[in-house]
Structures are given as structure tokens and as C-alpha cells.
Amino acid sequence: GQRLVVKATETDKNEVRTKAPDKAPAESGSSINQILGIKGAKQETNKWKIRVQLAKPVTWPPLVWGVVCGTAASGNFHWTGENVAKSIVCMIMSGPCLTGYTQTINDWYDREIDAINEPYRPIPSGAISKDEVLTQIWVLLLAGVGLAGLLDVWAGHNYPVIFYLAIGGSLVSYIYSAPPLKLKQNGWIGNYALGVSYISLPWWAGQALFGTLTADIVVLTLLYSIAGLGIGIVNDFKSVEGDRELGLQSIPVAFGSETAKWICVGAIDITQIAVAGYLLGAGKPYYALALLGLIVPQVFFQLKYFLRDPVKYDVKYQASAQPFLVLGLLVTALATSH
């Protein structure tokens, strides 16, 4: 496209300004980052590698874990070949297919911002054409929805609950990234939509596949998704300037970094404490204690890293604290399964 070429030359004038480490052209980039779909990626000409990069495999594990939690919460999972095969298909639907679709569509609608901030990303750099991107979006979406329908048939559902979850989730992904709604422009709604997509949806799919999705679990996981909202805010600190310029009302832009830090840790901690209280009230004291025990290291790492400097330590904080959060999810799933 002619327009992208023009954009690229405009960017060259500001070469000095854009040479920040995370924006440097990726000649020295890593192949691993390229395949994971994260910053510091090697420039790649292989179409399949570019397609994988757009689908951002680094974002799949939380959804795969969500399926594990839902499966555990169903209380009906037994280690048989068929059950393992079912859950693997459910993980492929949630991760590579539907999360891949979400990430690709997000990159497609961010192509103008990326042309300024990360001109070497596959779409703005022209490494992949418009038609190829749109084909990928449709193939991943239809594959995900198709697998959802297959799982409903396989599970013998009278009502295609997984199929409708896949449709609903895909719709949320679309309005998250695409105008006119573009939920990501609003810090509260956008990050909560992310939280639900990462925590609730795969859990519901796993639980519906092996058991029955009940109202109390829907409420509990929607509450848990507020912690997901907090995790979403962690990623907003490093793009404050860009977001402010583009008029995106992220939480750090709307409230300032100091207040946003506390909103973020509050959403993560208070949510889990509330869930622990729910488990205690439901007569599951050991699970409640285990969950509270898993909150302690998260608070420690918040004080050590995140609250000190959310931009400098965001990756360190995520790497240290996140494992305890996801283990807490599994504890909650096991508590609700009996």
C-alpha cells in the first residue's frame, strides 16, 4: 500500500525519537520473540512465522489454564484418552483459534498506531498483505466456532452452550478492538472485557464440556474477572504517553499513575480476598486458607516491584506474582467442584 510507504518515510524523519529500545528496528531481534508475538521480534519473511506472530502465542497459556480450571470445577474429569482429547480440542479452540483471532484482529485495527510506535510489526511494515490478514482472521474465527460446535456434539449437549460461548467471546473480541465501540478506549470496560475473556470464558467452556455450568459459578468467575481487570491495568502504565495522545482513557491516563497503581493492586487483591470469603461461607475453610496463602506472595511482589515502579518492574512483577494468582484460580475451581 502506498499509504503505508508514506507513513514509513514520515517516521524516518523522527528516527532519533523512535530509537527507544522497545521501538528499535528489529535487525537484532530474536526469533523466539518473533514466534511468541512479543516486542523485540526478528524481522521475518516466512509467511507462516508471520502468521504465528500475529496470533501471539504468548497470550495463549492463560486461556489454556482457564480450560484446566473449568475442567477441574466440573468435578467430572477422569483421566481417559477421550477426556484428554476433548480438553486438548477445547484448549486449541480457546488458545490458537479464538485468542489467535482476537490478537490478529487487534493488530489489524491498531495498524495506524503501530505505524507510529512499532513500524516494523508485520502489518504496518507490509510483511503481510491486507487480504492475507483478513483471511487469517476469518479462518481462525471459523475454526474456533467450528471446534466449539464439535465439542457440543461430542459432549452430547442438547443446547450448544460451548458454541454460544465461542460466538459471544468472538463478539466481545471484535467490539474490543474495532470501531465504533472499541472497548479498549475505556480503561474500565476494556480491561474488564479482557479479564472476562482470560478468566471466565475458558473456565465456562471447560466446565460446560465436562459438567454443567451453574449460575453461582458464572457469578463467581465474573467476580474473579475483576482481578483480570487489575492485570490488564498493569500493561497500561508503559503506554501512558501514546494513550494520552490518542485520547485513550486508560486507568493511568484517567487517574494518574499514583492512583492507578492502587486501583490495580486493589482490583487484584480485594477480588481474591472476596472469593476466599465466599469459599469460607460455602464451608470450604481449607480452600479459603489456601487462597489467602497465595495472596500473601502477590502482595509481597506488589510492594517489592510494582508499587515502587510500575513501568520499570512490570515484567518482573508479572513473572513473580502471576503464578500465585493462577494457582489461586485452580484452588477456587477445585473448591467449587466437590
Side-chain angles (χ1 to χ4, degrees):
Q2 199 47 47
R3 196 160 46 99
L4 288 176
V5 177
V6 176
K7 276 242 159 87
T9 38
E10 280 167 22
T11 318
D12 291 345
K13 288 186 201 134
N14 310 332
E15 201 52 13
V16 188
R17 194 174 55 81
T18 52
K19 273 280 200 233
D22 58 334
K23 295 175 183 170
E27 287 110 42
S28 59
S30 112
S31 315
I32 295 168
N33 291 17
Q34 191 275 330
I35 282 294
L36 291 175
I38 51 182
K39 284 187 170 170
K42 179 172 176 268
Q43 294 273 234
E44 190 50 77
T45 47
N46 178 318
K47 274 287 144 66
W48 287 107
K49 287 186 178 173
I50 290 170
R51 290 189 178 287
V52 173
Q53 182 179 357
L54 281 177
K56 278 204 187 146
V58 74
T59 59
W60 303 347
L63 288 108
V64 170
W65 186 257
V67 172
V68 170
C69 290
T71 304
S74 74
N76 295 329
F77 181 85
H78 307 288
W79 285 100
T80 64
E82 189 187 8
N83 279 357
V84 171
K86 267 189 203 166
S87 25
I88 289 171
V89 171
C90 193
M91 288 167 183
I92 292 169
M93 169 195 81
S94 303
C97 295
L98 294 178
T99 309
Y101 149 79
T102 302
Q103 296 297 343
T104 309
I105 203 167
N106 190 40
D107 260 26
W108 174 247
Y109 283 108
D110 275 356
R111 61 192 185 279
E112 259 120 53
I113 300 175
D114 286 345
I116 301 164
N117 293 334
E118 298 179 73
Y120 49 84
R121 278 197 67 72
I123 297 173
S125 70
I128 187 164
S129 72
K130 173 184 177 175
D131 289 349
E132 287 167 324
V133 177
L134 296 180
T135 304
Q136 173 158 330
I137 288 170
W138 279 106
V139 167
L140 291 174
L141 173 62
L142 295 173
V145 171
L147 287 177
L150 169 80
L151 287 168
D152 279 317
V153 174
W154 199 352
H157 290 160
N158 297 325
Y159 182 81
V161 58
I162 302 175
F163 176 79
Y164 282 120
L165 285 175
I167 295 278
S170 309
L171 195 63
V172 170
S173 301
Y174 177 78
I175 63 173
Y176 175 77
S177 297
L181 291 174
K182 217 176 169 82
L183 301 181
K184 64 191 281 187
Q185 287 177 338
N186 178 302
W188 293 112
I189 304 170
N191 283 325
Y192 185 65
L194 273 185
V196 171
S197 309
Y198 273 97
I199 293 176
S200 303
L201 280 168
W203 177 317
W204 297 348
Q207 184 155 353
L209 181 58
F210 291 102
T212 318
L213 190 54
T214 52
D216 56 334
I217 286 293
V218 169
V219 173
L220 184 67
T221 49
L222 286 173
L223 171 65
Y224 225 123
S225 298
I226 299 172
L229 176 143
I231 295 165
I233 300 172
V234 173
N235 298 317
D236 289 337
F237 283 91
K238 53 181 179 289
S239 49
V240 169
E241 284 108 19
D243 288 348
R244 195 174 284 131
E245 273 174 47
L246 293 156
L248 297 182
Q249 282 297 307
S250 73
I251 303 292
V253 170
F255 293 91
S257 283
E258 273 311 298
T259 311
K261 281 196 307 202
W262 291 100
I263 293 175
C264 178
V265 297
I268 294 171
D269 300 345
I270 294 166
T271 299
Q272 294 175 88
I273 293 166
V275 171
Y278 167 84
L279 296 178
L280 199 61
K284 306 274 169 68
Y286 297 113
Y287 288 103
L289 281 172
L291 181 54
L292 286 171
L294 288 165
I295 300 171
V296 174
Q298 293 178 60
V299 173
F300 171 75
F301 289 119
Q302 284 160 1
L303 294 167
K304 186 178 175 187
Y305 293 129
F306 184 74
L307 290 167
R308 208 178 282 173
D309 188 341
V311 179
K312 186 176 168 190
Y313 292 122
D314 69 327
V315 178
K316 259 188 177 159
Y317 165 67
Q318 299 264 40
S320 321
Q322 231 64 318
F324 297 101
L325 181 114
V326 298
L327 281 173
L329 261 178
L330 186 61
V331 165
T332 307
L334 291 167
T336 54
S337 75
H338 298 303

